[in-house]
Amino acid sequence: MSSKERKKAALYEKLLQLRAATNSSALNKTSIIVDASKYIEELKRKVDAMRQGVGTSQNSIAQNPLPAVTVETLEKGFQIHVLSEKNCPGLLVSILEAFEELGLDVLDARVSCSDTFQLEAVGEAADSIDAQAVKEAVLQAIQTWSTSSEQD
C-alpha cells in the first residue's frame, strides 16, 4: 500500500471516529465536519450554561451560609445530617442541646469540624416525634447559634 493510500485510509478512519463521536449520520467528509462543528458549538453552550449554574449556586451558598439539614426516618429513630461549607465553632453544642430538649438519644454520631462542619447522627426519641419536628429543632438551634455567633 502506498503512502498516499495509507494517508487516505487513516483520514477515512478518523472521519468515521468523528462521525461516531458526534452522532452524525452524514456520509461525506464535508457533512461530517459540519455536523462535528455543530456538535462542538452545542457542547460549548452546555458548558457555559453549567458555568452559570455553578456561579449561581456559589452565590447562593455565599448568601445563605447556614448549614444544610436533612432528617430521615429510620425504623427506630432518625438519621440526621448537618453539612456546612465552613467551620462552625460552637454549633455542635447547640445541636446537641436541641437533641436533649427533644428527648432524642444519640445512638451513634460522626462529626468533623476541621475545615467544614459535618454531623451524621442516629438518634432515637422516647416521645412520638416526627422527622419534621427534629429538622425544625435542629434548624432552630442553627439559627440561634448563627445569631449568637454574629453578635460575638
Side-chain angles (χ1 to χ4, degrees), residues 6-146:
R6 273 187 258 135
K7 286 181 182 179
K8 190 173 181 177
L11 175 62
Y12 180 77
E13 190 63 36
K14 288 179 182 178
L15 282 172
L16 288 179
Q17 289 175 349
L18 182 61
R19 181 178 162 199
T22 59
N23 296 319
S24 173
S25 59
L27 298 175
N28 67 37
K29 176 179 152 183
T30 306
S31 298
I32 293 171
I33 293 171
V34 168
D35 286 350
S37 295
K38 289 177 183 177
Y39 182 77
I40 290 168
E41 288 301 317
E42 181 62 28
L43 288 176
K44 285 180 181 179
R45 280 193 286 276
K46 288 179 181 180
V47 167
D48 288 342
M50 289 174 64
R51 283 184 182 152
Q52 289 175 352
V54 167
T56 303
S57 66
Q58 286 176 344
N59 288 342
S60 68
I61 288 170
Q63 292 171 357
N64 186 10
L66 292 179
V69 177
T70 58
V71 178
E72 300 173 28
T73 304
L74 301 175
E75 189 175 315
K76 293 184 178 182
F78 305 97
Q79 184 166 10
I80 302 111
H81 297 274
V82 181
L83 175 64
S84 175
E85 295 295 321
K86 63 179 186 168
N87 188 343
C88 302
L91 180 58
L92 179 60
V93 173
S94 296
I95 293 172
L96 291 176
E97 288 173 350
F99 289 170
E100 189 174 315
E101 289 173 14
L102 283 172
L104 190 72
D105 294 326
V106 177
L107 304 175
D108 186 32
R110 277 184 260 152
V111 180
S112 173
C113 302
S114 53
D115 294 331
T116 62
F117 178 87
Q118 297 180 45
L119 166 68
E120 292 182 23
V122 175
E124 193 173 73
D127 298 333
S128 59
I129 58 174
D130 64 352
Q132 187 61 33
V134 173
K135 184 173 183 174
E136 287 174 12
V138 172
L139 289 170
Q140 182 60 46
I142 292 170
Q143 188 63 44
T144 303
W145 165 82
S146 176

